[in-house]
Short mmCIF file of all heavy atoms in Angstrom, two decimals:
data_model
loop_
_atom_site.label_atom_id
_atom_site.label_comp_id
_atom_site.label_asym_id
_atom_site.label_seq_id
_atom_site.Cartn_x
_atom_site.Cartn_y
_atom_site.Cartn_z
N SER A 157 -83.14 -127.72 -68.49
CA SER A 157 -82.93 -126.84 -69.65
C SER A 157 -83.92 -125.68 -69.63
O SER A 157 -83.55 -124.53 -69.88
CB SER A 157 -83.08 -127.65 -70.95
OG SER A 157 -82.98 -126.80 -72.07
N VAL A 158 -85.18 -125.98 -69.31
CA VAL A 158 -86.19 -124.92 -69.22
C VAL A 158 -85.84 -123.96 -68.08
O VAL A 158 -85.94 -122.73 -68.23
CB VAL A 158 -87.59 -125.52 -68.99
CG1 VAL A 158 -88.60 -124.44 -68.65
CG2 VAL A 158 -88.05 -126.28 -70.24
N LEU A 159 -85.41 -124.50 -66.95
CA LEU A 159 -85.05 -123.64 -65.81
C LEU A 159 -83.85 -122.76 -66.15
O LEU A 159 -83.80 -121.60 -65.74
CB LEU A 159 -84.74 -124.51 -64.58
CG LEU A 159 -85.91 -125.30 -63.99
CD1 LEU A 159 -85.41 -126.23 -62.89
CD2 LEU A 159 -86.98 -124.36 -63.45
N ARG A 160 -82.91 -123.32 -66.89
CA ARG A 160 -81.70 -122.58 -67.23
C ARG A 160 -81.99 -121.47 -68.24
O ARG A 160 -81.46 -120.35 -68.13
CB ARG A 160 -80.66 -123.55 -67.80
CG ARG A 160 -79.31 -122.89 -68.11
CD ARG A 160 -78.29 -123.92 -68.57
NE ARG A 160 -78.69 -124.59 -69.80
CZ ARG A 160 -79.15 -125.84 -69.86
NH1 ARG A 160 -79.28 -126.55 -68.74
NH2 ARG A 160 -79.48 -126.38 -71.01
N THR A 161 -82.83 -121.77 -69.23
CA THR A 161 -83.09 -120.79 -70.30
C THR A 161 -84.30 -119.91 -70.02
O THR A 161 -84.50 -118.91 -70.70
CB THR A 161 -83.31 -121.53 -71.63
OG1 THR A 161 -84.46 -122.39 -71.52
CG2 THR A 161 -82.09 -122.37 -71.99
N GLY A 162 -85.10 -120.31 -69.02
CA GLY A 162 -86.34 -119.56 -68.77
C GLY A 162 -87.32 -119.69 -69.91
O GLY A 162 -88.09 -118.77 -70.19
N ASP A 163 -87.30 -120.87 -70.56
CA ASP A 163 -88.11 -121.07 -71.76
C ASP A 163 -89.57 -121.35 -71.40
O ASP A 163 -90.07 -122.47 -71.55
CB ASP A 163 -87.54 -122.22 -72.58
CG ASP A 163 -88.10 -122.28 -74.00
OD1 ASP A 163 -88.74 -121.29 -74.40
OD2 ASP A 163 -87.91 -123.31 -74.67
N VAL A 164 -90.25 -120.33 -70.89
CA VAL A 164 -91.67 -120.41 -70.58
C VAL A 164 -92.29 -119.06 -70.91
O VAL A 164 -91.66 -118.02 -70.71
CB VAL A 164 -91.89 -120.76 -69.08
CG1 VAL A 164 -91.23 -119.73 -68.17
CG2 VAL A 164 -93.38 -120.85 -68.76
N HIS A 165 -93.46 -119.08 -71.50
CA HIS A 165 -94.17 -117.81 -71.67
C HIS A 165 -95.57 -117.95 -71.12
O HIS A 165 -96.12 -119.06 -71.04
CB HIS A 165 -94.16 -117.36 -73.15
CG HIS A 165 -95.08 -118.15 -74.04
ND1 HIS A 165 -94.64 -119.21 -74.80
CD2 HIS A 165 -96.40 -118.01 -74.29
CE1 HIS A 165 -95.65 -119.70 -75.49
NE2 HIS A 165 -96.73 -119.01 -75.21
N MET A 166 -96.12 -116.82 -70.73
CA MET A 166 -97.41 -116.83 -70.04
C MET A 166 -98.51 -116.30 -70.95
O MET A 166 -98.31 -115.37 -71.74
CB MET A 166 -97.35 -115.97 -68.78
CG MET A 166 -96.21 -116.33 -67.83
SD MET A 166 -96.19 -118.07 -67.29
CE MET A 166 -97.74 -118.13 -66.36
N VAL A 167 -99.66 -116.95 -70.82
CA VAL A 167 -100.88 -116.43 -71.43
C VAL A 167 -101.84 -116.13 -70.28
O VAL A 167 -101.69 -116.65 -69.17
CB VAL A 167 -101.49 -117.43 -72.43
CG1 VAL A 167 -100.59 -117.58 -73.64
CG2 VAL A 167 -101.75 -118.78 -71.78
N TYR A 168 -102.81 -115.29 -70.54
CA TYR A 168 -103.70 -114.81 -69.49
C TYR A 168 -105.15 -114.96 -69.94
O TYR A 168 -105.52 -114.47 -71.00
CB TYR A 168 -103.39 -113.35 -69.15
CG TYR A 168 -101.97 -113.14 -68.66
CD1 TYR A 168 -100.92 -113.04 -69.56
CD2 TYR A 168 -101.69 -113.06 -67.30
CE1 TYR A 168 -99.61 -112.86 -69.13
CE2 TYR A 168 -100.39 -112.88 -66.85
CZ TYR A 168 -99.35 -112.78 -67.77
OH TYR A 168 -98.05 -112.60 -67.33
N GLN A 169 -105.94 -115.66 -69.13
CA GLN A 169 -107.35 -115.85 -69.47
C GLN A 169 -108.21 -114.97 -68.57
O GLN A 169 -108.08 -115.02 -67.34
CB GLN A 169 -107.76 -117.31 -69.31
CG GLN A 169 -109.19 -117.58 -69.78
CD GLN A 169 -109.53 -119.06 -69.80
OE1 GLN A 169 -109.00 -119.84 -69.02
NE2 GLN A 169 -110.43 -119.46 -70.70
N PRO A 170 -109.10 -114.17 -69.16
CA PRO A 170 -109.92 -113.26 -68.34
C PRO A 170 -111.01 -113.97 -67.56
O PRO A 170 -111.57 -114.97 -68.00
CB PRO A 170 -110.52 -112.31 -69.38
CG PRO A 170 -110.53 -113.10 -70.65
CD PRO A 170 -109.34 -113.98 -70.60
N VAL A 171 -111.28 -113.46 -66.38
CA VAL A 171 -112.41 -113.88 -65.56
C VAL A 171 -113.36 -112.69 -65.47
O VAL A 171 -112.95 -111.59 -65.08
CB VAL A 171 -111.95 -114.30 -64.15
CG1 VAL A 171 -113.15 -114.64 -63.27
CG2 VAL A 171 -110.98 -115.48 -64.23
N PHE A 172 -114.61 -112.91 -65.87
CA PHE A 172 -115.56 -111.81 -65.99
C PHE A 172 -116.56 -111.76 -64.84
O PHE A 172 -116.96 -112.79 -64.30
CB PHE A 172 -116.37 -111.95 -67.30
CG PHE A 172 -115.59 -111.65 -68.54
CD1 PHE A 172 -114.88 -112.65 -69.18
CD2 PHE A 172 -115.57 -110.37 -69.06
CE1 PHE A 172 -114.17 -112.38 -70.33
CE2 PHE A 172 -114.85 -110.09 -70.20
CZ PHE A 172 -114.15 -111.09 -70.85
N ARG A 173 -116.94 -110.53 -64.51
CA ARG A 173 -118.12 -110.31 -63.66
C ARG A 173 -119.34 -110.35 -64.56
O ARG A 173 -119.44 -109.60 -65.53
CB ARG A 173 -118.05 -108.95 -62.96
CG ARG A 173 -117.01 -108.84 -61.86
CD ARG A 173 -117.14 -107.49 -61.15
NE ARG A 173 -118.44 -107.37 -60.51
CZ ARG A 173 -118.68 -107.67 -59.25
NH1 ARG A 173 -117.70 -108.12 -58.49
NH2 ARG A 173 -119.88 -107.54 -58.73
N LEU A 174 -120.26 -111.24 -64.26
CA LEU A 174 -121.42 -111.40 -65.13
C LEU A 174 -122.50 -110.37 -64.86
O LEU A 174 -123.37 -110.14 -65.71
CB LEU A 174 -122.00 -112.81 -64.96
CG LEU A 174 -121.02 -113.96 -65.28
CD1 LEU A 174 -121.72 -115.31 -65.12
CD2 LEU A 174 -120.44 -113.81 -66.66
N ASP A 175 -122.43 -109.72 -63.69
CA ASP A 175 -123.47 -108.72 -63.40
C ASP A 175 -123.17 -107.39 -64.08
O ASP A 175 -124.03 -106.52 -64.15
CB ASP A 175 -123.62 -108.52 -61.89
CG ASP A 175 -122.29 -108.20 -61.20
OD1 ASP A 175 -121.27 -108.11 -61.90
OD2 ASP A 175 -122.30 -108.07 -59.97
N GLY A 176 -121.92 -107.23 -64.58
CA GLY A 176 -121.62 -105.99 -65.26
C GLY A 176 -120.73 -106.16 -66.46
O GLY A 176 -120.38 -105.19 -67.13
N SER A 177 -120.35 -107.39 -66.72
CA SER A 177 -119.54 -107.76 -67.89
C SER A 177 -118.10 -107.30 -67.83
O SER A 177 -117.38 -107.41 -68.81
CB SER A 177 -120.18 -107.19 -69.18
OG SER A 177 -121.51 -107.62 -69.29
N GLN A 178 -117.63 -106.79 -66.69
CA GLN A 178 -116.25 -106.34 -66.61
C GLN A 178 -115.29 -107.52 -66.40
O GLN A 178 -115.67 -108.55 -65.84
CB GLN A 178 -116.05 -105.36 -65.44
CG GLN A 178 -116.78 -104.05 -65.59
CD GLN A 178 -118.17 -104.11 -64.93
OE1 GLN A 178 -118.57 -105.15 -64.43
NE2 GLN A 178 -118.85 -102.98 -64.94
N VAL A 179 -114.05 -107.31 -66.84
CA VAL A 179 -113.00 -108.28 -66.53
C VAL A 179 -112.60 -108.08 -65.08
O VAL A 179 -112.13 -107.01 -64.70
CB VAL A 179 -111.77 -108.10 -67.45
CG1 VAL A 179 -110.68 -109.08 -67.06
CG2 VAL A 179 -112.16 -108.31 -68.91
N GLU A 180 -112.81 -109.10 -64.26
CA GLU A 180 -112.48 -109.02 -62.83
C GLU A 180 -110.98 -109.17 -62.62
O GLU A 180 -110.35 -108.42 -61.89
CB GLU A 180 -113.24 -110.11 -62.08
CG GLU A 180 -112.93 -110.18 -60.60
CD GLU A 180 -113.88 -109.34 -59.79
OE1 GLU A 180 -114.63 -108.53 -60.36
OE2 GLU A 180 -113.90 -109.50 -58.57
N PHE A 181 -110.40 -110.21 -63.24
CA PHE A 181 -108.95 -110.43 -63.18
C PHE A 181 -108.59 -111.38 -64.30
O PHE A 181 -109.45 -111.85 -65.05
CB PHE A 181 -108.52 -110.97 -61.81
CG PHE A 181 -109.07 -112.32 -61.44
CD1 PHE A 181 -108.39 -113.51 -61.76
CD2 PHE A 181 -110.28 -112.45 -60.75
CE1 PHE A 181 -108.89 -114.75 -61.42
CE2 PHE A 181 -110.79 -113.69 -60.39
CZ PHE A 181 -110.09 -114.85 -60.72
N VAL A 182 -107.30 -111.64 -64.45
CA VAL A 182 -106.84 -112.61 -65.46
C VAL A 182 -106.04 -113.71 -64.76
O VAL A 182 -105.30 -113.44 -63.81
CB VAL A 182 -106.00 -111.94 -66.56
CG1 VAL A 182 -106.85 -111.04 -67.43
CG2 VAL A 182 -104.82 -111.16 -65.97
N GLU A 183 -106.23 -114.94 -65.22
CA GLU A 183 -105.46 -116.06 -64.69
C GLU A 183 -104.25 -116.31 -65.57
O GLU A 183 -104.36 -116.46 -66.79
CB GLU A 183 -106.31 -117.34 -64.63
CG GLU A 183 -105.52 -118.53 -64.10
CD GLU A 183 -106.33 -119.82 -64.06
OE1 GLU A 183 -107.53 -119.80 -64.43
OE2 GLU A 183 -105.76 -120.86 -63.65
N ALA A 184 -103.07 -116.34 -64.97
CA ALA A 184 -101.83 -116.59 -65.70
C ALA A 184 -101.63 -118.08 -65.87
O ALA A 184 -101.70 -118.86 -64.90
CB ALA A 184 -100.64 -115.99 -64.94
N LEU A 185 -101.37 -118.49 -67.11
CA LEU A 185 -101.20 -119.90 -67.43
C LEU A 185 -99.90 -120.08 -68.20
O LEU A 185 -99.63 -119.34 -69.16
CB LEU A 185 -102.39 -120.40 -68.27
CG LEU A 185 -103.76 -120.29 -67.59
CD1 LEU A 185 -104.87 -120.45 -68.61
CD2 LEU A 185 -103.89 -121.32 -66.48
N ALA A 186 -99.10 -121.05 -67.80
CA ALA A 186 -97.79 -121.26 -68.41
C ALA A 186 -97.90 -122.07 -69.69
O ALA A 186 -98.71 -122.98 -69.82
CB ALA A 186 -96.87 -121.99 -67.43
N ARG A 187 -97.05 -121.73 -70.65
CA ARG A 187 -96.91 -122.47 -71.89
C ARG A 187 -95.41 -122.72 -72.12
O ARG A 187 -94.60 -121.83 -71.92
CB ARG A 187 -97.51 -121.71 -73.08
CG ARG A 187 -99.01 -121.46 -72.94
CD ARG A 187 -99.78 -122.75 -73.05
NE ARG A 187 -101.23 -122.54 -73.02
CZ ARG A 187 -101.98 -122.64 -71.92
NH1 ARG A 187 -101.39 -122.93 -70.75
NH2 ARG A 187 -103.29 -122.46 -71.98
N PHE A 188 -95.09 -123.94 -72.55
CA PHE A 188 -93.70 -124.32 -72.74
C PHE A 188 -93.47 -124.62 -74.22
O PHE A 188 -93.93 -125.65 -74.73
CB PHE A 188 -93.36 -125.54 -71.89
CG PHE A 188 -93.53 -125.30 -70.42
CD1 PHE A 188 -94.73 -125.56 -69.78
CD2 PHE A 188 -92.48 -124.77 -69.66
CE1 PHE A 188 -94.90 -125.33 -68.42
CE2 PHE A 188 -92.64 -124.53 -68.31
CZ PHE A 188 -93.85 -124.80 -67.68
N PRO A 189 -92.75 -123.76 -74.91
CA PRO A 189 -92.54 -123.96 -76.35
C PRO A 189 -91.51 -125.02 -76.70
O PRO A 189 -91.36 -125.40 -77.85
CB PRO A 189 -92.06 -122.58 -76.82
CG PRO A 189 -91.43 -121.96 -75.60
CD PRO A 189 -92.22 -122.47 -74.43
N SER A 190 -90.78 -125.54 -75.70
CA SER A 190 -89.74 -126.53 -75.97
C SER A 190 -90.33 -127.76 -76.66
O SER A 190 -91.44 -128.18 -76.35
CB SER A 190 -89.06 -126.96 -74.67
OG SER A 190 -88.43 -125.87 -74.05
N LYS A 191 -89.56 -128.32 -77.58
CA LYS A 191 -89.99 -129.53 -78.28
C LYS A 191 -89.29 -130.75 -77.67
O LYS A 191 -88.18 -130.67 -77.19
CB LYS A 191 -89.65 -129.41 -79.76
CG LYS A 191 -90.45 -128.32 -80.46
CD LYS A 191 -90.12 -128.26 -81.94
CE LYS A 191 -90.94 -127.17 -82.63
NZ LYS A 191 -90.63 -127.09 -84.08
N PRO A 192 -89.96 -131.92 -77.67
CA PRO A 192 -91.31 -132.17 -78.19
C PRO A 192 -92.37 -131.53 -77.31
O PRO A 192 -92.17 -131.34 -76.11
CB PRO A 192 -91.43 -133.69 -78.16
CG PRO A 192 -90.52 -134.11 -77.06
CD PRO A 192 -89.37 -133.15 -77.09
N TYR A 193 -93.51 -131.20 -77.93
CA TYR A 193 -94.56 -130.48 -77.21
C TYR A 193 -95.23 -131.39 -76.18
O TYR A 193 -95.50 -132.56 -76.45
CB TYR A 193 -95.61 -129.97 -78.18
CG TYR A 193 -96.81 -129.36 -77.46
CD1 TYR A 193 -96.73 -128.08 -76.95
CD2 TYR A 193 -97.97 -130.10 -77.27
CE1 TYR A 193 -97.80 -127.53 -76.25
CE2 TYR A 193 -99.04 -129.56 -76.57
CZ TYR A 193 -98.95 -128.27 -76.07
OH TYR A 193 -100.01 -127.74 -75.38
N HIS A 194 -95.50 -130.80 -75.02
CA HIS A 194 -96.30 -131.48 -74.00
C HIS A 194 -97.22 -130.44 -73.36
O HIS A 194 -96.88 -129.26 -73.26
CB HIS A 194 -95.41 -132.10 -72.92
CG HIS A 194 -94.57 -133.23 -73.41
ND1 HIS A 194 -95.07 -134.49 -73.62
CD2 HIS A 194 -93.27 -133.27 -73.78
CE1 HIS A 194 -94.11 -135.27 -74.09
NE2 HIS A 194 -93.01 -134.55 -74.19
N ALA A 195 -98.39 -130.89 -72.97
CA ALA A 195 -99.34 -129.99 -72.30
C ALA A 195 -98.69 -129.42 -71.04
O ALA A 195 -97.88 -130.09 -70.39
CB ALA A 195 -100.62 -130.75 -71.95
N PRO A 196 -99.05 -128.20 -70.66
CA PRO A 196 -98.44 -127.58 -69.47
C PRO A 196 -98.55 -128.44 -68.22
O PRO A 196 -97.57 -128.56 -67.46
CB PRO A 196 -99.23 -126.27 -69.33
CG PRO A 196 -99.68 -125.95 -70.72
CD PRO A 196 -99.98 -127.27 -71.36
N ASP A 197 -99.72 -129.05 -67.99
CA ASP A 197 -99.88 -129.88 -66.80
C ASP A 197 -98.85 -131.00 -66.77
O ASP A 197 -98.34 -131.37 -65.70
CB ASP A 197 -101.29 -130.48 -66.74
CG ASP A 197 -102.34 -129.45 -66.36
OD1 ASP A 197 -101.97 -128.32 -66.02
OD2 ASP A 197 -103.54 -129.79 -66.43
#
């Protein structure tokens, strides 16, 4: 059902350079809103 509907949305967590405080890149993490809720893993 998830594959058919594409029912996934992405959140992005920043990874910082500590020597200059810049955002180096963001990690994309999947979230599944389908019920019942289950952790992405």
Side-chain angles (χ1 to χ4, degrees):
S157 176
V158 170
L159 294 173
R160 183 176 62 255
T161 62
D163 194 13
V164 58
H165 73 264
M166 306 304 296
V167 292
Y168 300 81
Q169 186 172 29
V171 176
F172 288 89
R173 289 186 62 94
L174 301 182
D175 53 2
S177 305
Q178 295 92 357
V179 177
E180 177 92 348
F181 63 91
V182 291
E183 179 181 359
L185 300 165
R187 298 292 184 264
F188 299 91
S190 298
K191 294 182 179 179
Y193 173 79
H194 293 282
D197 286 353

